[in-house]
Amino acid sequence: MNPEQVVARVFGLYERFGASDYIGEPVSQLEHMSQAAELAMAEGCDDEVVLAAFFHDIGHLCAEGAQHMGGYGVVSHERLGADYLREAGFSERLARLVEYHVQAKRYLTLREPGYFQRLSEASRRTLGYQGGVMTEAEADVFARDPLCALSLRMRQWDELAKEVAVPVVDLAVLRRKAVNLLSCS
């Protein structure tokens, strides 16, 4: 498949499933991921990071028939989404950022006082399915990863991207970014 076909297939998931409820939050899947991408763009992030923010929960959309987290989405959605994006031809950096957004939650729950209390009810409930709070040893390893700081920022966007009545970003802009990235790889 050429980059345009790949992007059409990936964005087709948003067309088919994007309007669905975002697992216990007051926004749809598409609204949530759009807001995360807009936050990344507002900070001047590169296209890989913007798309990682947009795609961070794609595992909920591409994993039909997967095991669910008690009504709160798909188990291992971060890994399933990252694998889906790798297979589609996106970069390892982008895929790892998608994969790490859950690790960042586990890390912040250990290392940032009060973080757990600030999580939404849905995020609190899913934490157990996602491995729970990191151990000190896991956190030390994660902290040394070159993508750790960016993953923690992405996690903040994830938490903020739940505002009601925010217009969805122009998907044509994100499609062009995706085609450009795939064309350069």
Side-chain angles (χ1 to χ4, degrees):
M1 272 193 268
N2 68 37
E4 289 82 8
Q5 292 168 316
V6 170
V7 169
R9 186 184 64 166
V10 171
F11 277 78
L13 293 170
Y14 292 89
E15 292 163 10
R16 288 184 20 227
F17 305 114
S20 61
D21 175 56
Y22 177 58
I23 53 172
E25 303 291 358
V27 293
S28 71
Q29 294 274 1
L30 179 59
E31 289 168 329
H32 172 64
M33 292 187 259
S34 168
Q35 289 177 36
E38 285 187 301
L39 289 164
M41 285 189 282
E43 290 188 22
C45 293
D46 65 60
D47 289 350
E48 275 185 329
V49 175
V50 169
L51 287 171
F54 183 69
F55 292 146
H56 79 273
D57 277 339
I58 198 168
H60 291 302
L61 307 181
C62 70
E64 288 185 69
Q67 182 182 357
H68 284 258
M69 298 182 283
Y72 289 99
V74 175
V75 172
S76 299
H77 76 282
E78 71 282 5
R79 184 183 46 76
L80 295 169
D83 288 346
Y84 176 82
L85 293 166
R86 283 181 186 105
E87 290 169 17
F90 287 97
S91 72
E92 183 61 22
R93 178 177 179 243
L94 186 151
R96 285 179 57 212
L97 286 169
V98 167
E99 193 162 5
Y100 283 2
H101 83 278
V102 167
Q103 297 306 316
K105 177 169 82 169
R106 296 180 61 226
Y107 176 90
L108 288 167
T109 304
L110 174 70
R111 294 275 169 96
E112 188 176 300
Y115 179 77
F116 180 80
Q117 289 71 28
R118 292 192 307 270
L119 290 173
S120 68
E121 182 62 25
S123 285
R124 288 180 192 179
R125 289 183 179 254
T126 57
L127 182 61
Y129 289 98
Q130 296 167 333
V133 177
M134 275 189 175
T135 65
E136 285 292 341
E138 288 173 319
D140 289 344
V141 169
F142 187 66
R144 288 190 297 270
D145 190 292
L147 292 176
C148 178
L150 192 50
S151 298
L152 298 178
R153 191 71 199 125
M154 256 188 65
R155 186 68 211 176
Q156 291 171 332
W157 301 328
D158 187 3
E159 296 302 330
L160 293 170
K162 298 172 185 177
E163 297 296 319
V164 178
V166 173
V168 171
V169 68
D170 181 356
L171 295 182
V173 170
L174 297 178
R175 284 176 180 260
R176 279 193 302 276
K177 290 178 183 301
V179 168
N180 289 341
L181 283 180
L182 290 172
S183 296
C184 294
S185 58

